[in-house]
Amino acid sequence: MCGIVGYIGNREAYPILIKGLQRLEYRGYDSAGVALLNPSGELNVFKKKGKVSDLTSYAKDKDITGNIGIGHTRWATHGEPNDVNSHPHYSQSKNLVMIHNGIIENYNAIKERLIKRGHTFLSQTDTEVLIHLIEDIKQHEGMKLGHAVLAALNQVIGAYAIVIMDKNDPDTLIAAKKGSPMVIGIGNDDFFIASDASPIVEYTKNVVYLEDEQVAIIRRGQELKIRNLKDKEITPYVQELTLELEAIEKGGYDHFMLKEIYEQPKSVMDSMRGRLHANEGEVKLGGIVDHEGKFKNAKRIIFVACGTSWHAGLVGEYLFEEFARIPVEVEYASEFRYRNPIIYQDDIVIAISQSGETADTLAAIELAKAKGATIIGVCNVVGSSIPRASHGGTYTHAGPEIGVASTKAFTAQVTVLTLMALHIAKVRGSITESRYRQMLYEMESIPNKIEQVLQLNDQIKRIAEEYKDRSNALYLGRGVSFPVALEGALKLKEISYIHAEGYPAAEMKHGPIALIDEEMPVFVIATKGANYEKVVSNIQEVKARRGNIIAVVTAGDKEVKKMAEHVVEIPETDETLVPLIAVVPLQLLSYHIAVMRGCNVDQPRNLAKSVTVE
């Protein structure tokens, strides 16, 4: 979850590192730091609790020269956020310095051993223990740094992405990864290292994605060598980035989150482009063609995901059971991996993750793979770990999502899952031709309907003004709209810090109704469909207890309008596609409430974008 950058070449490193950290700040922002080796051979480390801006203020009168350096934004795991626990961390002699993303699970046992050998530790972090271990092996075994890193990593348990700099070797950076992402950019006369491609795209399109248990030795002068933990040399596989610089800039919006909400017509369209052919009555999904036989005979599908992606999986459950008629289970990846789940060889496990690096989801699919299941990935980041670990899958084509609170990733995931469910339904013969074609035409209309909802922004902003100071909120939905209620509640609590819960509307009377009074806003997805009359009854139950109703309804609705304090009318669509439209006003509502409360919308407290630790 932390952000890592590194540079070696002929340019000044500090501006490159700082710009990279600013682009990675969404990954971790409890603290930030850089280490630079200046032309005189002095190793300078500057680090500060807080944002990257706090670091730049602190370092403005310091010696920031040097054309080799590493930088880090931290999301705290071991040790509270403070200056001392910030990265980079020195070795015992202060000749080595390291940055780290991940968790070293056996760090305490290693630390006790090193203390007995005379090591002194300044921080509470597992990272400092690892760099001390590397130096200890280097000194006592007489190894070169690269081999000492290999030896140390063979002793640790856990996940890591690390970059190391040696005061006595000004022409080398060493990087390694296991379970945490790392990409190396290859320039004309220089190299760039980062947790993802966003700090690199400005300088080069040529990149190497490190695989697990690989160590890269990067030397000035266009030398990149990769070895695995068994000390076997690996030939680097150079790929071309498709990411464009404009995609990671705000483009005139106040926040990345708002930009990404407004990008949804495009991201949904891009996720359908080349796949949905309504006139021909066809859905083409190249990433699952080889697995159609598995889907045709599947007795069960298991979705594994976390957070917003889990909510998309819940929508997927409705879609696959409705259209493909395959039983579906939706699992929190973090629980699935520790439950000793029953997995059969004919099971299909669909892993959903925006980043493709979610640690719990990765671990869940590795478990399922080991038991013989077929793994299908639904991810947004090309070349990320989950697609590489899957047997097949589909990218969402949402483009970079920088805001920590996921928005366009959700609608892109639901779009892809809908296409997948329809495609498999056709393969299995579980959907009529007329229903199938109707759904394809409905899917084509979704981007335009999202665009219409975005035009309601001013109205939604006025609603937000009325409820911005409330302490609690309920979100209700039935059927395929229940996951939308969960997602709406998650967005509100993520960025505005208002306690919010989502429930199936019928479950309200089984407990949550006790919370309702005149101070409780209740957000209800009450669109036309099979459950409409039931939802109307649930609204009446809330009104009888003086709750405030804010309803998302189908355009032209009159019945709910009579009862609700506020209604947001969305275009009519097929009931199964309502989540793609109904979630948008809830995203905007959460955004405006958070802004009005003075919250940091793009970097909410305690959260990070890509959860690459357990």
Side-chain angles (χ1 to χ4, degrees):
M1 285 154 51
C2 305
I4 282 175
V5 291
Y7 174 76
I8 182 170
N10 299 315
R11 317 183 203 198
E12 283 296 309
Y14 180 77
I16 295 170
L17 298 178
I18 290 298
K19 186 179 286 188
L21 293 181
Q22 288 167 341
R23 288 188 177 146
L24 289 174
E25 199 165 11
Y26 69 93
R27 296 182 63 95
Y29 39 83
D30 296 331
S31 59
V34 295
L36 298 152
L37 192 57
N38 73 12
S40 302
E42 295 173 315
L43 187 56
N44 295 314
V45 172
F46 311 117
K47 51 186 186 175
K48 204 71 183 164
K49 176 185 174 182
K51 309 290 185 186
V52 175
S53 58
D54 297 307
L55 171 64
T56 56
S57 296
Y58 173 70
K60 66 182 179 182
D61 57 350
K62 307 290 193 301
D63 178 5
I64 53 173
T65 59
N67 50 30
I68 176 173
I70 56 179
H72 190 267
T73 55
R74 181 174 186 245
W75 188 89
T77 54
H78 294 71
E80 66 180 82
N82 60 32
D83 292 355
V84 175
N85 288 328
S86 304
H87 297 210
H89 285 285
Y90 282 116
S91 64
Q92 176 78 2
S93 70
K94 294 193 174 182
N95 286 332
L96 304 180
V97 68
M98 184 175 81
I99 51 179
H100 169 220
N101 177 20
I103 292 177
I104 306 302
E105 296 174 12
N106 61 336
Y107 84 102
N108 209 35
I110 296 170
K111 185 175 184 177
E112 290 176 2
R113 192 170 80 232
L114 291 172
I115 288 172
K116 290 177 181 177
R117 294 172 67 90
H119 287 252
T120 302
F121 295 92
L122 304 176
S123 76
Q124 301 166 290
T125 67
D126 53 339
T127 304
E128 189 184 12
V129 173
L130 179 54
I131 191 61
H132 276 242
L133 174 64
I134 290 168
E135 182 173 73
D136 189 79
I137 292 171
K138 180 177 183 289
Q139 290 176 341
H140 288 88
E141 302 295 330
M143 292 182 176
K144 291 184 177 180
L145 180 58
H147 286 99
V149 171
L150 287 173
L153 294 180
N154 274 298
Q155 294 184 30
V156 302
I157 300 169
Y160 53 80
I162 61 173
V163 187
I164 302 168
M165 192 161 63
D166 185 351
K167 178 181 179 180
N168 296 314
D169 188 354
D171 295 317
T172 303
L173 286 177
I174 292 180
K177 71 146 284 189
K178 179 183 178 183
S180 291
M182 182 168 288
V183 59
I184 301 171
I186 304 172
N188 292 325
D189 294 303
D190 42 15
F191 291 91
F192 307 82
I193 304 170
S195 299
D196 64 42
S198 58
I200 291 174
V201 65
E202 181 175 348
Y203 307 103
T204 181
K205 292 283 191 179
N206 298 318
V207 298
V208 173
Y209 290 94
L210 278 191
E211 300 286 348
D212 277 354
E213 298 190 340
Q214 288 185 348
V215 177
I217 297 94
I218 305 163
R219 291 191 61 80
R220 199 188 307 273
Q222 285 298 291
E223 185 179 32
L224 168 63
K225 290 188 176 179
I226 298 176
R227 311 191 77 83
N228 63 21
L229 293 193
K230 295 179 181 177
D231 203 17
K232 178 184 177 183
E233 189 162 350
I234 308 295
T235 302
Y237 173 55
V238 181
Q239 302 182 45
E240 185 174 346
L241 283 178
T242 57
L243 179 66
E244 297 297 331
L245 185 61
E246 306 84 67
I248 57 173
E249 303 292 348
K250 287 183 183 175
Y253 288 90
D254 290 339
H255 298 91
F256 281 110
M257 182 181 178
L258 185 62
K259 178 190 178 216
E260 288 154 9
I261 290 172
Y262 272 84
E263 285 177 340
Q264 287 176 112
K266 181 180 185 299
S267 58
V268 168
M269 178 64 76
D270 287 347
S271 295
M272 295 190 293
R273 194 185 311 280
R275 297 165 172 173
L276 174 64
H277 306 276
N279 290 335
E280 291 80 27
E282 191 173 45
V283 173
K284 293 181 179 178
L285 293 171
I288 64 169
V289 166
D290 293 341
H291 307 285
E292 286 178 358
K294 284 272 190 181
F295 276 104
K296 188 171 184 177
N297 299 308
K299 295 182 175 65
R300 180 175 66 162
I301 292 173
I302 303 171
F303 287 105
V304 292
C306 301
T308 287
S309 296
W310 186 77
H311 297 158
L314 289 176
V315 177
E317 178 182 19
Y318 285 93
L319 297 169
F320 273 82
E321 291 190 346
E322 172 70 20
F323 297 128
R325 306 304 296 156
I326 304 173
V328 175
E329 297 176 13
V330 185
E331 299 274 0
Y332 283 115
S334 54
E335 291 297 314
F336 180 80
R337 61 178 296 198
Y338 290 115
R339 207 186 64 233
N340 191 22
I342 299 169
I343 302 170
Y344 302 106
Q345 289 192 358
D346 57 0
D347 283 341
I348 295 172
V349 174
I350 299 179
I352 311 171
S353 167
Q354 188 282 137
S355 68
E357 302 290 351
T358 310
D360 287 318
T361 307
L362 262 171
I365 66 174
E366 293 296 349
L367 171 64
K369 242 172 117 175
K371 293 178 180 287
T374 299
I375 310 300
I376 302 296
V378 176
C379 300
N380 189 39
V381 181
V382 176
S384 54
S385 297
I386 289 174
R388 295 203 306 270
S390 300
H391 296 110
T394 305
Y395 286 112
T396 53
H397 299 314
E401 189 178 64
I402 306 298
V404 168
S406 192
T407 52
K408 65 176 180 174
F410 174 78
T411 48
Q413 287 167 350
V414 171
T415 298
V416 164
L417 292 174
T418 306
L419 294 177
M420 198 180 291
L422 290 169
H423 179 68
I424 298 306
K426 187 75 178 291
V427 168
R428 288 171 61 89
S430 57
I431 188 171
T432 66
E433 185 66 21
S434 60
R435 176 74 167 129
Y436 179 73
R437 283 182 174 268
Q438 176 203 359
M439 287 302 302
L440 299 193
Y441 282 114
E442 283 290 330
M443 284 292 289
E444 275 195 335
S445 73
I446 292 298
N448 180 259
K449 291 177 179 179
I450 295 175
E451 196 73 62
Q452 293 177 50
V453 175
L454 293 171
Q455 293 171 13
L456 304 174
N457 180 60
D458 290 345
Q459 176 198 350
I460 294 166
K461 190 173 182 179
R462 289 192 294 271
I463 296 171
E465 180 69 42
E466 189 162 334
Y467 296 100
K468 65 181 173 61
D469 296 321
R470 302 298 172 93
S471 300
N472 300 282
L474 285 178
Y475 286 72
L476 303 178
R478 295 190 79 142
V480 75
S481 292
F482 163 52
V484 180
L486 291 174
E487 178 62 12
L490 178 61
K491 290 285 97 56
L492 187 67
K493 56 191 165 189
E494 273 184 318
I495 62 172
S496 73
Y497 318 139
I498 295 173
H499 174 253
E501 296 297 334
Y503 284 94
E507 283 296 303
M508 181 182 59
K509 57 183 172 288
H510 294 286
I513 200 167
L515 298 170
I516 293 176
D517 58 20
E518 63 274 12
E519 291 297 314
M520 176 67 78
V522 182
F523 300 90
V524 186
I525 298 95
T527 50
K528 293 288 187 181
N531 294 315
Y532 178 73
E533 296 301 332
K534 298 291 186 184
V535 174
V536 169
S537 297
N538 298 137
I539 290 173
Q540 289 171 333
E541 292 167 353
V542 173
K543 292 305 295 179
R545 289 153 182 87
R546 297 182 295 172
N548 299 307
I549 294 292
I550 306 94
V552 177
V553 301
T554 304
D557 183 286
K558 294 180 181 177
E559 192 167 355
V560 173
K561 201 168 188 177
K562 295 174 185 175
M563 297 181 286
E565 277 67 29
H566 304 278
V567 295
V568 177
E569 298 187 41
I570 65 173
E572 185 173 1
T573 191
D574 189 275
E575 185 177 3
T576 57
L577 302 182
V578 163
L580 288 167
I581 305 173
V583 74
V584 177
L586 302 183
Q587 294 169 347
L588 285 169
L589 187 79
S590 298
Y591 169 79
H592 289 302
I593 288 176
V595 170
M596 291 171 186
R597 289 168 66 90
C599 301
N600 190 334
V601 173
D602 286 334
Q603 298 170 1
R605 68 188 182 204
N606 303 332
L607 296 178
K609 182 66 178 173
S610 179
V611 185
T612 57
V613 298
E614 293 183 40

